[in-house]
């Protein structure tokens, strides 16, 4: 069987037409100058399907994790105004304009930093889960959980543009609850808006698409306003020199609440700064509690210091200080008042009349446990046989022997008994893949599921899969020991960091908790080399040194010939102050700073110009002397001069060559 690139469901190997599941046309022409070609494989693991959307800074694709056989969402960093593919048949990304490289790289770093931040928020239920992130094709990729459902923007469009107060309040309280959790981790969202609030088919509300990469690009772009969502971005996001904080997300959350209630987003903060035309919720014809309107309008203040400052304070202002999101679908269904005669067991079970056998068994188990008394054993029917589960007392469960059993069966059983918080750690083991080999709570122990509904399972990954630990904020030696103990192959990348101590691992290419295929590649441990300024070197003055001495001095500075190649040329003129063969001048001036890290990327050449020495004394010129005349008659050659050898230098009277004619002495000409 093969996969449909539109929905990643299986279709027949010989199927060539529209997908029977989603209607995707495999013959659809794809602009591969922009999008990755469906069927592209990233990191030897992730299969790329059709593009789901293209925003200003990235492209989102449906994907498939070939190792874990699950549908994923793939986000590629591909800023619209900066990027292009090398060719129609290649995946590599280049920057359209050479002068925009720094801006592209800044955004890429923040794109990956966004993924790293989200990976560290794995315990926050209200955000999209990150499976992996990495660099490839000269850009970055984030692998996320695939969510089935609709964003608030689409729901507003489908429901006439606005929500009733109760529904809008529930959504905003959920958003604030999630913001409160991520703010505790010193993470800002920076892009709260209707299209970044996603509601799954199960009714779970999640924040998606954090705005770190957008923020970084805005910092490097003189036209920052085009990067922001007008109406939702507060004033400080338009200014590079203004600090952002939790109050930045509060403004956007208030704008979202305003939009859901009134059907209109607030005027942009930039236009409000010139002339504030914002109307209150009640002025827009919407009746809401007075305290809610006060909370919204206060949080939409242009000046950050005058807003509600934290998500929890916003929840308090809305009367929701104790609010906890419910991660089940009932909240979106109209409330049905049950008749009095159906409030007991029979009425409760009738509500689940159409439920699966497994759900009914779970309900029965809960009711039996709540009834009190002894230990009750029941058998839950399932395909392939039965699994025994048991409970004792109110809100308690007896743990079964889980070791040696398939993970899928174990998880299903635990969830039925009320142990729903299950942490799975994969290790290399001789047991078959996905076999439980250890459990944190011993078989036979009684658990109060209301107080502790957790279970940690150690599961065999065969010879292929392990769960990654966190090697960050550890010394390189410690990180190496732990990775080797986990049987995780790795490579080390040393990078300068002004914030991280030298020798400290401050990043890893695959997130902690990710199930990693050790046969497919290695993780990269990024280690701090210390501050970049630690590698500055000041060039000395090499004047008067021999070239060999100068090379030795370069080596002592760490500027070996791999980083700083040496050329030697002779001066064209003479030099009275520097001996022949020694350095008279240098192409890179003395006192100039060079950085070893920069030289590793772009080696530099220094040219030493050696002296020709002092100008030599010119050789004496010969004396020109005419032939002597006799009896006043000219010679046969007309009195032509003859060359007379100069006098020896030892003769004190020799002042240079002289010309004699007719026996007369005209004196020295020099």
């Amino acid at each position: 069987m093969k996969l449909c690139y539109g929905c990643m469901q299986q279709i027949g190997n010989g199927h060539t037409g529209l997908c029977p599941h989603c209607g995707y046309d495999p013959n659809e022409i794809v602009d591969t100058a922009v999008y990755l070609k469906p069927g592209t494989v990233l990191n030897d693991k992730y299969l790329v399907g059709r593009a789901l959307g293209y925003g200003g800074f990235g492209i989102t694709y449906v994907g498939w994790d070939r190792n874990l056989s699950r549908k994923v969402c793939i986000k590629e960093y591909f800023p619209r105004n900066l990027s292009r593919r090398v060719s129609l048949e290649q995946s590599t990304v280049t920057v359209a304009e050479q002068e925009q490289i720094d801006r592209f790289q800044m955004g890429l770093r923040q794109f990956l930093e966004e993924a790293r931040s989200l990976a560290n928020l794995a315990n926050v239920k209200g955000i999209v889960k990150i499976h992996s992130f990495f660099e490839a094709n000269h850009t970055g990729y984030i692998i996320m959980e695939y969510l089935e459902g609709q964003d608030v923007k689409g729901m507003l469009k489908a429901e006439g543009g606005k929500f009733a107060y109760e529904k809008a309040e529930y959504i905003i309280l959920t958003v604030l609850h999630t913001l409160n959790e991520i703010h505790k981790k010193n993470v800002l969202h920076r892009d709260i808006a209707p299209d970044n609030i996603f509601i799954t088919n199960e009714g779970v509300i999640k924040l998606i698409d954090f705005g770190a990469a957008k923020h970084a690009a805005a910092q490097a772009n003189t036209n920052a306003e085009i990067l922001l969502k007008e109406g939702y971005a507060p004033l400080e996001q338009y200014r590079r020199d203004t600090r952002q904080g939790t109050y930045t997300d509060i403004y956007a959350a208030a704008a979202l609440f305003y939009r859901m209630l009134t059907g209109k987003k607030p005027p942009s903060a930039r236009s409000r700064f010139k002339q504030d035309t914002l109307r209150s919720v009640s002025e827009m014809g919407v009746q809401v509690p007075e305290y809610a309107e006060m909370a919204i309008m206060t949080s939409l203040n242009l000046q950050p210091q005058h807003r509600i400052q934290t998500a929890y304070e916003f929840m308090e202002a809305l009367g929701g200080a104790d609010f906890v999101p419910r991660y089940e679908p009932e909240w979106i269904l109209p409330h049905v008042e049950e008749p009095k005669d159906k409030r007991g067991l029979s009425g409760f079970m009738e509500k689940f009349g159409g439920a699966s056998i497994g759900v009914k068994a779970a309900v029965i188990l809960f009711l039996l446990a709540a009834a009190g008394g002894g230990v009750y054993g029941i058998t839950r029917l399932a395909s392939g046989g039965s699994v025994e589960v048991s409970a004792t007392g109110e809100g308690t469960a007896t743990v079964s022997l889980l070791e040696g059993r398939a993970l899928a069966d174990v998880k299903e059983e635990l969830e039925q008994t009320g142990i729903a918080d299950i942490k799975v750690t994969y290790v290399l083991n001789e047991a078959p893949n996905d076999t439980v080999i250890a459990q944190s709570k011993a078989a036979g122990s009684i658990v109060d599921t209301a107080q502790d509904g957790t279970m940690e399972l150690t599961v065999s990954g065969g010879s292929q899969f392990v769960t990654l630990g966190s090697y960050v904020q550890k010394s390189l030696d410690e990180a190496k020991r732990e990775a080797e103990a986990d049987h995780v192959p790795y490579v080390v990348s040393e990078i300068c960091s002004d914030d991280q101590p030298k020798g400290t691992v401050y990043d890893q290419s695959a997130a902690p908790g990710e199930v990693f295929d050790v046969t497919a590649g290695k993780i990269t441990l990024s280690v701090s080399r210390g501050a970049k300024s630690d590698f500055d070197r000041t060039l000395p003055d090499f004047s008067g040194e021999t070239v060999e001495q100068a090379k030795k001095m370069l080596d002592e500075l760490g500027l070996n010939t791999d980083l700083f190649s040496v050329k030697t040329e002779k001066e064209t003129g003479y030099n009275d102050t520097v001996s022949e063969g020694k350095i008279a001048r240098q192409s890179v001036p003395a006192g100039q700073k060079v950085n070893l890290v920069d030289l590793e990327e772009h080696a530099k050449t220094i040219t030493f110009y050696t002296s020709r020495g002092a100008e030599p004394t010119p050789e004496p010129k010969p004396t020109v002397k005419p032939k002597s005349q006799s009896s006043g008659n000219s010679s046969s050659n007309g009195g032509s001069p003859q060359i007379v050898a100069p006098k020896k230098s030892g003769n004190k009277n020799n002042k240079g060559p002289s010309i004699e004619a007719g026996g007369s002495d005209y004196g020295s000409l020099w």
Side-chain angles (χ1 to χ4, degrees):
M1 299 293 284
K2 65 179 182 179
L3 294 174
C4 165
Y5 292 150
C7 61
M8 292 300 169
Q9 295 196 58
Q10 289 187 350
I11 54 178
N13 289 329
H15 188 83
T16 57
L18 301 181
C19 172
H21 306 292
C22 69
Y24 173 73
D25 184 358
N27 300 311
E28 178 181 296
I29 298 175
V30 176
D31 183 1
T32 51
V34 176
Y35 301 100
L36 286 171
K37 186 177 181 180
T40 300
V41 177
L42 299 173
N43 219 24
D44 296 324
K45 183 177 180 180
Y46 302 107
L47 181 69
V48 177
R50 67 179 178 90
L52 300 174
Y54 185 7
F57 288 86
I59 304 174
T60 304
Y61 306 88
V62 63
W64 183 257
D65 184 333
R66 301 198 301 180
N67 289 343
L68 300 180
S69 297
R70 64 182 175 188
K71 196 173 180 179
V72 294
C73 183
I74 301 174
K75 187 175 177 183
E76 178 184 44
Y77 179 66
F78 196 89
R80 186 187 300 272
N81 296 327
L82 302 179
S83 312
R84 64 185 180 191
R85 307 277 175 197
V86 172
S87 73
L88 296 180
E89 295 300 324
Q90 294 186 1
S91 304
T92 304
V93 175
T94 61
V95 179
E97 301 292 339
Q98 190 70 16
E99 60 270 18
Q100 301 288 3
I101 290 178
D102 288 345
R103 185 176 159 208
F104 179 92
Q105 291 297 330
M106 179 184 288
L108 175 59
R109 287 193 298 271
Q110 290 297 323
F111 176 84
L112 296 173
E113 185 61 36
E114 171 187 327
R116 187 176 299 109
S117 297
L118 290 176
N120 291 332
L121 299 175
N123 293 330
V124 179
K125 294 181 179 180
I127 63 171
V128 63
K129 288 189 175 74
I130 300 297
H131 299 317
S132 180
F133 59 93
F134 51 87
E135 290 187 60
N137 299 328
H138 294 174
T139 189
Y141 296 90
I142 302 175
I143 311 300
M144 303 178 287
E145 66 173 322
Y146 188 90
L147 301 176
E148 302 276 1
Q150 192 174 24
D151 59 33
V152 167
K153 182 178 180 180
M155 292 181 67
L156 283 167
K157 185 176 180 180
E159 298 184 30
K162 55 186 178 180
F163 296 148
Y165 177 79
E166 291 75 13
K167 185 170 184 176
E169 180 195 40
Y170 182 86
I171 293 173
I172 206 65
L173 284 173
T174 302
V175 169
L176 291 170
H177 185 277
T178 303
L179 284 175
N180 188 49
E181 294 301 309
I182 68 172
H183 288 169
K184 290 177 183 177
K185 308 284 187 180
N186 295 319
V187 176
L188 300 179
H189 189 283
R190 291 196 181 103
D191 202 18
I192 298 293
D195 53 341
N196 286 334
I197 312 301
F198 197 92
I199 303 179
T200 70
N201 289 340
E202 295 76 30
V204 177
I205 300 175
K206 293 203 174 191
L207 304 189
I208 62 174
D209 200 16
F210 282 49
K214 299 182 181 69
H215 172 66
Q219 296 296 305
N221 180 15
T222 56
N223 295 316
E225 64 273 7
I226 65 172
L227 308 172
L228 305 174
K229 288 190 172 72
E230 300 282 1
Y232 301 98
L235 200 59
E236 61 265 25
Q237 282 191 276
Y238 290 90
R239 297 174 175 175
R240 296 175 181 81
D241 57 350
T242 304
R243 183 180 177 184
Q244 298 182 30
T246 57
Y247 45 78
T248 302
D249 284 340
I250 295 304
Y251 183 100
L256 170 66
F257 201 4
Y258 186 98
R259 167 69 179 86
M260 290 190 294
L261 293 171
T262 68
K264 302 288 184 182
K265 64 183 179 181
S268 74
R270 185 178 49 179
S271 66
R272 289 182 60 202
F273 182 72
K274 297 176 182 177
Q275 182 180 0
D276 198 349
T277 59
L278 177 65
R279 299 165 62 193
S280 68
V281 176
S282 57
E283 288 175 330
M284 295 289 288
V286 179
Q287 297 303 312
V288 298
E290 185 178 356
Y291 60 82
E293 183 168 45
M294 285 279 287
I296 293 170
M297 302 310 294
T298 301
S299 298
L300 286 174
N301 198 300
L302 289 175
Q303 301 302 320
Q305 66 271 25
H306 298 312
R307 295 177 205 148
I308 292 176
Q309 296 292 293
T310 69
Y312 183 76
E313 289 172 354
F314 201 160
M315 292 172 67
E316 279 188 313
L318 294 175
D322 298 326
F323 174 85
V324 177
R326 292 170 289 163
Y327 293 108
E328 65 268 355
E330 283 80 7
W331 72 269
I332 57 176
L333 300 177
H335 177 70
V336 177
E337 188 70 29
E338 290 287 346
K340 290 184 178 181
D341 59 348
K342 292 191 176 181
R343 295 299 179 94
L345 173 62
S346 61
F348 191 72
M349 288 306 301
E350 184 175 316
K351 179 179 179 181
F352 289 90
S356 67
I357 295 175
V359 173
K360 290 179 180 179
V363 173
I364 293 171
L365 177 62
F366 169 78
L367 292 173
L368 290 174
V375 176
Y376 299 89
I378 64 170
T379 299
R380 177 179 53 80
L381 299 178
S383 58
S386 63
V387 179
E388 183 176 300
V389 295
S390 56
T392 178
E394 182 176 358
T396 61
T398 302
V399 178
S400 303
L401 178 64
L402 308 175
E403 296 169 10
R405 296 168 54 188
L407 175 62
D409 292 340
V410 167
K411 290 176 72 173
E412 192 172 358
E413 174 180 326
L414 289 173
E415 289 169 359
Q416 294 289 345
T417 59
I419 301 176
D421 187 1
I422 304 168
K423 180 182 178 182
V424 176
T425 301
Y426 281 87
V427 297
L428 299 185
N429 193 271
E430 295 179 353
N433 280 0
D434 289 316
T435 299
V436 176
I437 57 178
Q439 59 193 87
S440 62
K441 291 180 172 63
S445 60
I446 298 175
V447 178
D448 183 350
T449 56
Q451 298 296 322
D452 182 16
T454 64
M455 176 71 77
E456 295 178 12
L457 300 174
T458 304
V459 177
S460 172
S463 59
Q464 190 172 8
F465 299 110
V466 296
T467 298
L468 293 178
S470 175
Y471 310 114
V472 176
Q473 298 303 320
K474 297 175 181 175
S475 70
L476 178 58
D477 288 341
E478 184 182 2
K480 283 181 175 180
R481 285 195 300 271
E482 291 187 12
E484 289 164 1
D486 295 339
H487 303 286
V488 175
Y490 62 87
V491 294
V492 176
S493 174
E494 292 187 316
I495 303 173
C496 288
S497 171
D498 293 333
D499 303 320
Q500 300 295 332
K502 183 178 179 180
T504 301
V505 176
Y506 69 91
D507 189 25
Q508 58 190 73
S509 59
E514 177 183 345
V515 179
F516 186 76
D517 184 353
V518 299
T519 66
K522 301 178 179 181
I523 69 166
T524 299
L525 300 177
S526 297
V527 182
S528 171
R529 298 178 65 177
K532 188 176 180 181
S533 58
D534 293 343
F535 296 87
D536 284 341
R537 299 292 183 270
T538 302
L539 282 185
D541 187 348
F542 297 105
S543 297
E545 306 287 352
T546 66
V547 173
E548 289 306 312
Q549 288 171 329
K551 286 182 178 179
K552 185 177 179 181
M553 293 169 68
L554 285 171
D555 282 338
E556 290 172 353
L557 289 170
L559 298 168
N560 56 50
T561 53
D562 292 333
L563 304 179
F564 218 126
S565 59
V566 174
K567 290 176 64 178
T568 305
E569 293 182 15
K570 267 195 173 183
E571 287 273 44
T572 56
Y574 296 103
N575 192 311
D576 293 331
T577 60
V578 180
S579 303
E580 182 178 2
K582 293 191 175 181
I583 297 171
R585 64 186 179 92
Q586 56 201 72
S587 60
V588 183
Q592 179 171 315
K593 282 188 177 181
V594 294
N595 188 275
L596 299 181
V597 177
D598 291 338
L599 293 176
E600 288 174 356
E601 298 178 2
H602 304 287
K604 200 176 184 75
T605 299
I606 186 170
T607 302
F608 293 132
Y609 297 90
T610 57
S611 173
R612 296 170 63 91
E615 183 176 5
T617 304
E619 291 291 325
K621 296 184 179 179
T623 301
V624 179
K625 182 178 180 181
K627 288 184 179 181
S628 301
Q629 296 180 354
S630 61
S631 305
N633 295 325
S634 62
S635 63
S636 61
N637 59 6
S640 299
Q642 70 181 77
I643 299 174
V644 180
K647 295 178 182 180
K648 293 182 179 179
S649 61
N651 188 339
K652 294 181 180 179
N653 296 323
N654 180 17
K655 297 180 180 178
S658 63
I659 300 177
E660 296 178 0
S664 299
D665 186 357
Y666 288 90
S668 173
L669 298 179
W670 289 276

